[in-house]
Amino acid sequence: MMTVFPDPALAAGRHEPLGATVRDGGVNFAVFSAHATRVDLCLYDETGAVELTRHALDGPVDGVWSGFLPGAAAGQLYGLRAHGPHAPREGHRFNAAKLLLDPYAREIVGEFRNLPEDHGYPFGHPDGPFALDVRDNGPTALKARVAAPLAGPAPRASAPRHAPRDVVLYEVHVKGFSMRHPGIPEALRGSYAALAHPVAIAHFKRLGVTTLSLLPVQFAVDEPHLFGTGLRNYWGYNTLGFFAPDPRLASVAVRHDPTAVTAEFRDMVQALHEAGLEVVLDVVYNHTPEGNEWGPTLSLRGLDQKSYYRLQADDPARMENLTACGNTVNVEHPRVTQLVLDSLRYWVGEMGVDGFRFDLAPVLGRTARGHDPGSPFYAALRQDPLLSQVHLIAEPWDIGPDGYQLGRFPGRFMEWNDKFRDTTRGFWLGHGPDGTAIGRADFARRFAASSDVFRVGGAAGAAGASAQRSPLASVNFLAVHDGFTLADLVSHSRKHNDANGEDNRDGRDNELCGNFGVEGPTDDPAIRDARERARRAMLATLLLSQGTPMLYSGDEFGNGQGGNNNAYCQDNEIGWLDWPSADDALIAFTAGLAQLRRTHPLLRHARWFDAPGAARDAAGAGTPATLRWYHPDGRELREPDWHDGGVPTLAAALRDDHERLLLIANPGAASLRFALPPDGAWHLLLDSSGELAPAPVSGQEIVAPPRALLLCMAAATAPSSP
């Protein structure tokens, strides 16, 4: 039962931790605002519609306003009102008529409906966003609810610890994974609970992935332009609550109870951990739903816009937009750094997750000098006793100046490698981004974990940065949520985003793809065969290359989106995985690739080939592993061979003291003879096209089928033939 207060005096509070904390028979409240002149704590009844009392917090002390409310308890609804200058041209947009969500809210109730009164200015006013709207939006605004301390052991206690070289990532949307899965109970579909259902876990284990990379699960709202369209922000890249799991991803029975939503999320993590699976969260600390100067006033804007956001240097009335989402969070500010780090620690320490993928990650390291690998945020992250132990994955680009930062992240960061994506696609499709063929040299670099990017150390010279990164820093992928699925990129030559309601203007133009002669589905057996060969060859390249592989959920069974390469607003059968049409043979093929990767250490190096001390055995003895490239005629490739302009067929020979492997890549439309290196007899382990069965190779040559990747092992270390 919620306690209603007649209007007690607020006692002196503690300035830390920030947010609402149950303690000593009451609740402590603390919030940061460097430029406010007063901050009010507003208590609401259990419906969230009636404001009961209002209390002025003490402060500021180092920018923090605080107070202690005796007798208050978990379950109390509240919001904040910040007083201060309304001077938009100076960067200040204080408006005490607007109820603000606590940035540290762990439980959030209500629904954002993008009402006119949610904005700090009156619609239609001639001064636009510089005008002041004095309507009180309290009855309809989102509210924070005081959360009780989490009970029971944190799921982190049971977390698996996979060696970095063993990690296989699987990017997946919590809801989309299970909404059409016939093996998961209908009442659970689309939820955290469904992702931890035994049927889901069985699929992940069969597939051989170790680490689920979840699309955003933090509390998100829809963009204003989606209201009234029947569409919604399905992907969730519009975070408002950095400490609260999104109730829209909980099972129907609990989604209206924030406490139960949190419990369901923790139970999911616990179940996945017990199955040996790690959980990585895609997190969005680069922008918020408050948008540009025309956007709503929901939280950070009203609390202290000038501290929380980056403003244009020559016009502080305008937001700096390095994200294409209207605003940019000012992570360079110490208190904003604290907000991000506190949020990350909460998800690891209390919710049990195993790491993060940072959306538009360069924003986090931007200073007045641009992106800085030695920035205070990265330094704080790397020294944190909790966060320094988990996976850190960067999307290494934003839309700002010098926004492409692939290879320039420090320490243990892994990075999404779009160079691998485009080269692998182009190699097997027969054309690169500019229409010309992908050459041997480019394919070889991507196969070898993009040594030109990570081994040379793009971050060299930056404070705290290493001159050389591990090959595992390269997160290799073929497709992710943003773009074509694997099935679509071999079935379409252009995007088909009409269902998004933006006249097909949204989504990436000129995405590398190819339809092999017919746009979309076809019954032509030759085209279907070519598409299937290309798709399997790409999957084999992904899972057998050096680096850290990442599968996009559904690619393992042929899921498509009808050519939509920007399904961010498609919370329907376009965006959900099409399990009823799943290709089980393709699942088995993908699982077999993952098994080959696990079985052969040469396919998953933690060090560079030929580097000092690389790839020695457990005792440190032996010679370093080697990687050599071969021409189809059996000789090692020479300089002219890398640029001969013909079909870029080649072979990679990997060798250490324990085994010898040979990967043969034939992207051409015709079969091709390969002379095998003179290392004795060879055994074929894999032909991605399926033409050749695993068996000993007769003689010293092999005929590689069209559009196929082959894996062979020297017979001395090969399995005995059946």
Side-chain angles (χ1 to χ4, degrees):
M1 178 67 68
M2 185 189 66
T3 303
V4 177
F5 303 97
D7 194 10
L10 203 65
R14 297 177 182 174
H15 303 105
E16 73 286 328
L18 295 173
T21 306
V22 176
R23 69 169 183 86
D24 303 330
V27 177
N28 191 85
F29 297 88
V31 61
F32 165 74
S33 178
H35 296 100
T37 58
R38 191 178 95 196
V39 178
D40 292 338
L41 169 68
C42 304
L43 305 181
Y44 280 78
D45 72 351
E46 58 189 4
T47 70
V50 179
E51 185 175 348
L52 302 174
T53 59
R54 190 177 297 192
H55 312 275
L57 296 174
D58 292 332
V61 175
D62 195 19
V64 176
W65 304 76
S66 65
F68 179 73
L69 195 60
Q76 174 65 57
L77 270 60
Y78 72 98
L80 302 166
R81 297 181 190 271
H83 302 255
H86 181 262
R89 289 179 173 82
E90 299 172 16
H92 297 302
R93 294 181 181 271
F94 290 99
N95 186 343
K98 307 305 172 184
L99 191 76
L100 307 173
L101 184 69
D102 183 354
Y104 279 74
R106 298 189 180 191
E107 296 185 357
I108 300 173
V109 298
E111 179 184 0
F112 173 63
R113 291 181 286 167
N114 194 43
L115 301 173
E117 55 266 33
D118 291 325
H119 295 69
Y121 63 92
F123 284 3
H125 193 283
D127 290 337
F130 302 118
L132 177 65
D133 184 276
V134 296
R135 287 175 294 180
D136 182 3
N137 73 331
T140 58
L142 292 168
K143 313 292 188 309
R145 190 169 82 168
V146 177
L150 295 177
R156 188 79 192 139
S158 62
R161 293 293 296 268
H162 293 294
R165 66 187 298 171
D166 297 332
V167 169
V168 178
L169 294 159
Y170 184 79
E171 192 194 34
V172 60
H173 189 286
V174 169
K175 183 174 184 179
F177 178 82
S178 59
M179 280 300 291
R180 304 184 67 193
H181 200 303
I184 293 177
E186 188 171 353
L188 296 182
R189 291 178 192 170
S191 71
Y192 303 120
L195 202 65
H197 189 275
V199 169
I201 289 175
H203 179 73
F204 304 143
K205 300 296 286 185
R206 176 192 181 189
L207 201 56
V209 300
T210 64
T211 308
L212 306 187
S213 182
L214 308 186
L215 267 68
V217 300
Q218 295 174 340
F219 188 98
V221 299
D222 294 333
E223 290 89 350
H225 74 270
L226 292 177
F227 284 89
T229 66
L231 303 173
R232 54 162 291 190
N233 187 318
Y234 166 61
W235 286 348
Y237 288 92
N238 209 32
T239 304
L240 183 64
F242 298 111
F243 293 79
D246 198 320
R248 297 184 295 184
L249 302 177
S251 54
V252 174
V254 307
R255 66 179 51 159
H256 296 295
D257 179 357
T259 302
V261 171
T262 298
E264 184 175 294
F265 181 91
R266 294 179 93 221
D267 289 345
M268 173 198 73
V269 175
Q270 180 74 34
L272 292 170
H273 280 177
E274 290 175 354
L277 295 163
E278 298 176 315
V279 179
V280 167
L281 303 186
D282 198 331
V283 287
V284 187
Y285 297 110
N286 57 76
H287 79 280
T288 77
E290 292 184 306
N292 62 17
E293 55 273 13
W294 294 89
T297 296
L298 306 176
S299 181
L300 303 183
R301 166 169 286 144
L303 280 172
D304 189 351
Q305 176 176 270
K306 206 165 186 176
S307 293
Y308 284 107
Y309 291 113
R310 295 174 66 102
L311 307 180
Q312 293 184 17
D314 58 349
D315 185 3
R318 310 291 181 185
M319 314 294 285
E320 190 172 28
N321 185 14
L322 306 177
T323 64
C325 298
N327 63 50
T328 306
V329 175
N330 184 23
V331 181
E332 187 179 8
H333 191 290
R335 287 294 188 183
V336 184
T337 292
Q338 179 185 354
L339 170 65
V340 175
L341 293 173
D342 285 348
S343 172
L344 296 173
R345 279 189 287 263
Y346 174 75
W347 288 95
V348 174
E350 299 292 336
M351 306 295 268
V353 306
D354 306 285
F356 305 95
R357 178 265 188 189
F358 295 94
D359 184 63
L360 302 183
V363 166
L364 304 176
R366 282 192 176 271
T367 68
R369 301 180 302 276
H371 180 260
D372 180 3
S375 72
F377 174 77
Y378 295 142
L381 187 65
R382 294 170 67 195
Q383 65 78 41
D384 189 277
L386 187 61
L387 301 178
S388 61
Q389 301 179 40
V390 300
H391 294 300
L392 305 173
I393 305 171
E395 181 185 37
W397 47 79
D398 62 26
I399 69 163
D402 296 321
Y404 189 73
Q405 293 291 328
L406 181 67
R408 290 188 55 82
F409 283 77
R412 294 183 304 101
F413 265 96
M414 295 184 282
E415 302 177 35
W416 276 23
N417 187 353
D418 62 323
K419 291 181 181 292
F420 179 93
R421 174 198 65 196
D422 291 345
T423 296
T424 302
R425 288 188 185 187
F427 185 79
W428 294 107
L429 291 173
H431 61 89
D434 59 358
T436 61
I438 297 292
R440 288 188 176 114
D442 201 15
F443 180 80
R445 283 190 288 265
R446 303 309 149 225
F447 173 85
S450 294
S451 54
D452 58 322
V453 175
F454 295 100
R455 187 172 185 175
V456 299
S466 171
Q468 180 170 293
R469 309 270 294 286
S470 162
L472 303 174
S474 176
V475 174
N476 301 331
F477 63 97
L478 303 169
V480 292
H481 66 276
D482 184 7
F484 286 124
T485 68
L486 179 58
D488 281 353
L489 74 88
V490 299
S491 303
H492 298 275
S493 61
R494 60 186 182 275
K495 64 184 183 180
H496 297 270
N497 297 355
D498 300 278
N500 298 351
E502 300 179 41
D503 297 323
N504 208 35
R505 294 188 304 269
D506 63 302
R508 187 151 61 99
D509 292 316
N510 304 314
E511 184 175 356
L512 192 53
C513 56
N515 63 21
F516 291 91
V518 172
E519 187 70 6
T522 179
D523 292 327
D524 187 306
I527 293 176
R528 290 169 65 93
D529 179 68
R531 290 175 177 178
E532 182 68 8
R533 286 172 179 268
R535 186 168 57 178
R536 287 180 172 237
M538 290 185 206
L539 284 169
T541 304
L542 172 66
L543 284 160
L544 303 183
S545 290
Q546 302 301 308
T548 301
M550 180 173 68
L551 280 164
Y552 179 46
S553 56
D555 282 352
E556 73 272 21
F557 63 73
N559 183 69
Q561 295 176 168
N564 191 322
N565 77 344
N566 188 37
Y568 79 101
C569 56
Q570 299 298 332
D571 187 9
N572 50 46
E573 292 190 354
I574 294 175
W576 303 337
L577 298 191
D578 185 12
W579 286 102
S581 300
D583 181 347
D584 192 70
L586 189 59
I587 296 175
F589 173 75
T590 308
L593 294 171
Q595 178 61 46
L596 285 170
R597 185 179 184 87
R598 287 193 302 273
T599 302
H600 302 285
L602 276 174
L603 298 175
R604 47 187 173 86
H605 260 280
R607 297 184 180 181
W608 298 102
F609 288 104
D610 297 324
R616 298 180 187 276
D617 64 23
T623 56
T626 60
L627 170 60
R628 298 288 182 266
W629 297 98
Y630 286 86
H631 190 275
D633 65 11
R635 58 181 169 79
E636 283 198 50
L637 287 173
R638 299 186 289 264
E639 182 61 27
D641 297 324
W642 293 107
H643 313 287
D644 65 9
V647 176
T649 312
L650 78 169
L654 294 76
R655 180 172 185 168
D656 64 10
D657 288 345
H658 306 289
E659 63 180 357
R660 288 167 289 167
L661 300 176
L662 184 71
L663 290 104
I664 299 171
N666 178 21
S671 298
L672 190 65
R673 292 185 179 276
F674 265 88
L676 300 173
D679 285 339
W682 290 88
H683 189 104
L684 178 67
L685 301 179
L686 170 77
D687 166 20
S688 67
S689 74
E691 279 194 31
L692 306 178
V697 178
S698 177
Q700 286 303 119
E701 69 174 22
I702 192 169
V703 178
R707 297 189 178 95
L709 185 74
L710 276 57
L711 175 64
C712 301
M713 174 181 277
T717 53
S720 57
S721 35

